[in-house]
Amino acid sequence: MLQPLQLLQPTTVGDASRALAEFGDRAKVYAGGAELLLLLRNGLLDAEVLVDLKKIDRLHSVKFESGLLRIGACVTHRELADHALLRQHAPALTYAESQVANIRVRNQGTLGGNLAFNDPHSDPGTVLLIHNSSVAIGNDKGEQRIGLAEFFVDMYATALGSGDLLLEIEVPALPDGMKSAYQRLHRYQRPTLGVAAAVQLDGDKIAKVRLAVGCVGPKAQRLSELEGKLRGVTLADARKIMAQEKKYLRELLRPVDDLLGSAEYKLYMTGVMLGDVVEEASATLED
Ligand SMILES: Cc1cc2nc3c(=O)[nH]c(=O)nc-3n(C[C@H](O)[C@H](O)[C@H](O)COP(=O)(O)OP(=O)(O)OC[C@H]3O[C@@H](n4cnc5c(N)ncnc54)[C@H](O)[C@@H]3O)c2cc1C
C-alpha cells in the first residue's frame, strides 16, 4: 500500500531543485513514476513528498538544432518511439524506444527517468552511447553538461547529486555515411542483452565503427578497445574477432549469473549479437 504523499508540481527547474533541498531525503523526484511508484509500493524506498517534474515545460521538448537532437527529460518512451525527428536522425534509438517493456510502461515512463534510475536492464542508454550523447544536469544554481558514459556511474548510480535534475539528453546525429542498429534479447519484458552498432564501410571493409553493450553488466558500456580492432577488416572477419573477445568482454562487462541466464551464456550471446548488429547496421548502408 502507498502511504499518503504530498505532491509538489513546480514549473521551473529552480523551484524543483529548491523543493528537493528543503525536504532532503523525505522528497523524491517523480517523472512518469513507472519505477518510483513500484519502489514505494513495495517498501523499497521511503518518501513523504514527490516533486513532480511534468509541469516544467522545457522538459517536454524534442528539437533538432545544429546536428544535435535535444530531448527533454520528461519525454515519454512512446512519444520518442513515434517521433519523426528521432526516426530521421537516430533510427536505432526509435527502435530501442519501441521495444521498452509494453505500451503501458512506454506511455508512462520517460527517457530521463530511465537514465536517472540506471537499471542495468534498460534499452535506450546503449544506443545513446553510440551517438556519443551527453546529458544536461541542473539545479537552482545552474546547469552543466557531461558525457553519458560519465553520467552512468554504476548499477542504479549516476552522476546526479542531491538536488540535481536530469534536464535534457543531447544526441549528436551520426557522421554522414555512418548507419546504426540496435538489437535486444529478452525472455521477460526487460532485456537480457542489448547491443548497438554504428558502422561506416569503405568497400567491403569497416572504415568506422562504434559499439555498445547493455544489460550484461552493471551499466551500458562503449567497447572502445574492440572498436579499434575492427577498423580495416571485413564484416566476416569482424564477426570472428568479436566472437573471440570473451576475456575482454568479461573484464569490461562483468556479467553475473542471474534469472536471465548464466554469465557464460550472456557473454556467448554478446559475441554473437555484436556480429549480428554490425551486419544489420552495414546492411542499412545499402538501403
Ligand atoms: C514492468 C516494467 C518493464 C520495464 N521494461 C523495460 C524495458 O524493457 N526497457 C527499458 O529500458 N526499461 C524498462 N523499464 C524501465 C522503464 O523504462 C523506466 O522505468 C522508465 O523509463 C522510468 O521513467 P519514469 O519517468 O517512470 O521514472 P520514475 O519512476 O518517475 O523515476 C525513476 C527514478 O529516476 C528519478 N528521476 C526521474 N526523472 C528524473 C529526472 N529528470 N532527474 C533526476 N531524477 C529523475 C526518480 O527520482 C526515480 O529515482 C521497465 C519498467 C517496468 C516497470
Side-chain angles (χ1 to χ4, degrees), residues 35-36 39 45 111-120 122 151-152 154-158 160 166 190:
E35 299 285 15
L36 188 66
L39 296 173
L45 201 68
L111 179 57
N114 184 292
L115 301 178
F117 193 53
N118 200 16
D119 185 302
S122 297
F151 177 78
F152 288 149
D154 208 339
M155 186 184 299
Y156 303 113
T158 67
L160 287 169
L166 174 55
R190 293 179 196 252

